[in-house]
Amino acid sequence: MPADERVGPAFDTNTLIRPTQRKLVGVWMDDAKLPTLVLPQVRHELTRGLRADGGFNSAAAWLMAQDSPDAPFKWASLDREQEQRAMEMRRMFTQSCFPKTPVDRIETDGDAVAVSEALVLGVDFMVTGDFNTIDHHEVNHFVGQMLGRNAGLLVTLDDALMRAYAGGELADQLLVNALATVAPEPDARWSVDAAFEDLSALEKALQGSHLYDTAARLTIRWEHSRDLEHVVERARLTAADSPALRFERRRTGWHRAAAERAGNWQTR
């Protein structure tokens, strides 16, 4: 990436492969007027696993997204020098950084590769709260001790969302954005009661994805909102106008069309 190009954080595979988190970070990046950054290793993981019979699945959809000029993603790349630097960094990582990976396998471990790519590119890396695969506290300590970086490289998505939407109007915007990710089609009706049911289901999904603070925050903001009808209407408008969510509707259409051809309907 050009040195003067404005980019946001990168996101791990667990975030981008699941619709719930992917939509939420997509709307967040819309707010920031940035594309959703995808590291080379993450792109590899998202696009592998194509069906041998040519059927359509999540990997096929990601390949189509990669070839779509209007997709809300920035596909990062490393030159040879950067790849070499990333390799050298992986050789310095300790097993404490990647608790389930033997030391002799860290060099090729997907999580370690993604972290080293983020380091080389100089971007923050948003990860899930599961410390079993990447202990982000250990990684950030390593980065500070070995490379002299003061700010943390790895941040859990939950913490990042809390910082981005710290309070006041920003916290209200988090509720609007979250509701937008579960809004019905733009021309469908959506009552406050229906929106509350959809929000409750979303909160459960967020809790299952280690986004506990985000889920709790949404409940609080809903309970303390002075005008829920206005909140729901803002969410509807956001869903209609968001580049990330417009592309998600296209993506769903790809899956639906493929499923109809195959005689079933299932997507990720």
Side-chain angles (χ1 to χ4, degrees), residues 40-256:
Q41 176 63 24
V42 173
R43 176 174 54 185
H44 167 71
E45 292 172 357
L46 292 172
T47 56
R48 69 186 178 193
L50 291 172
R51 287 175 50 171
D53 61 3
F56 197 83
N57 61 1
S58 178
W62 276 107
L63 284 175
M64 289 184 67
Q66 185 175 295
D67 294 335
S68 299
D70 61 338
F73 303 105
K74 170 68 178 179
W75 312 97
S77 61
L78 275 64
D79 58 30
R80 285 190 176 182
E81 180 180 347
Q82 289 172 322
E83 289 176 353
Q84 183 60 38
R85 286 168 52 203
M87 176 71 76
E88 292 169 357
M89 289 176 186
R90 292 197 296 278
R91 289 171 178 164
M92 292 189 292
F93 285 147
T94 65
Q95 189 173 10
S96 296
C97 296
F98 305 93
K100 286 193 173 181
T101 305
V103 174
D104 60 350
R105 297 184 183 177
I106 288 178
E107 189 174 311
T108 57
D109 175 70
D111 288 333
V113 171
V115 170
S116 68
E117 290 173 345
L119 264 173
V120 167
L121 292 173
V123 299
D124 288 339
F125 191 27
M126 307 290 109
V127 297
T128 67
D130 182 1
F131 295 150
N132 287 325
T133 55
I134 305 177
D135 187 330
H136 73 277
H137 295 293
E138 285 287 346
V139 172
N140 289 337
H141 177 74
F142 166 84
V143 170
Q145 293 291 312
M146 300 297 293
L147 304 177
R149 177 166 171 163
N150 293 324
L153 165 75
L154 268 63
V155 184
T156 65
L157 180 57
D158 210 16
D159 286 345
L161 288 169
M162 293 302 93
R163 296 177 191 177
Y165 297 97
E169 292 183 3
L170 287 174
D172 291 337
Q173 188 62 49
L174 175 63
L175 175 60
V176 168
N177 288 355
L179 281 169
T181 68
V182 293
E185 294 294 321
D187 58 349
R189 295 184 61 187
W190 203 28
S191 67
V192 170
D193 288 343
F196 176 71
E197 291 182 5
D198 292 334
L199 181 64
S200 298
L202 173 63
E203 289 168 354
K204 291 180 181 178
L206 294 175
Q207 290 169 353
S209 302
H210 301 278
L211 297 174
Y212 303 112
D213 289 344
T214 301
R217 195 83 180 286
L218 295 177
T219 297
I220 293 171
R221 300 313 297 184
W222 177 275
E223 291 175 348
H224 290 274
S225 174
R226 297 180 180 179
D227 190 346
L228 288 173
E229 290 187 357
H230 180 59
V231 168
V232 171
E233 182 59 23
R234 284 178 60 195
R236 284 173 54 88
L237 293 174
T238 298
D241 295 340
S242 161
L245 295 182
R246 284 200 301 268
F247 192 82
E248 285 295 327
R249 290 192 287 274
R250 280 186 58 196
R251 181 191 180 99
T252 299
W254 297 341
H255 282 282
R256 181 181 292 114

Side-chain angles (χ1 to χ4, degrees), residues 7-18:
V7 296
F11 299 91
D12 69 358
T13 302
N14 285 335
T15 296
L16 296 183
I17 203 168
R18 299 173 180 171

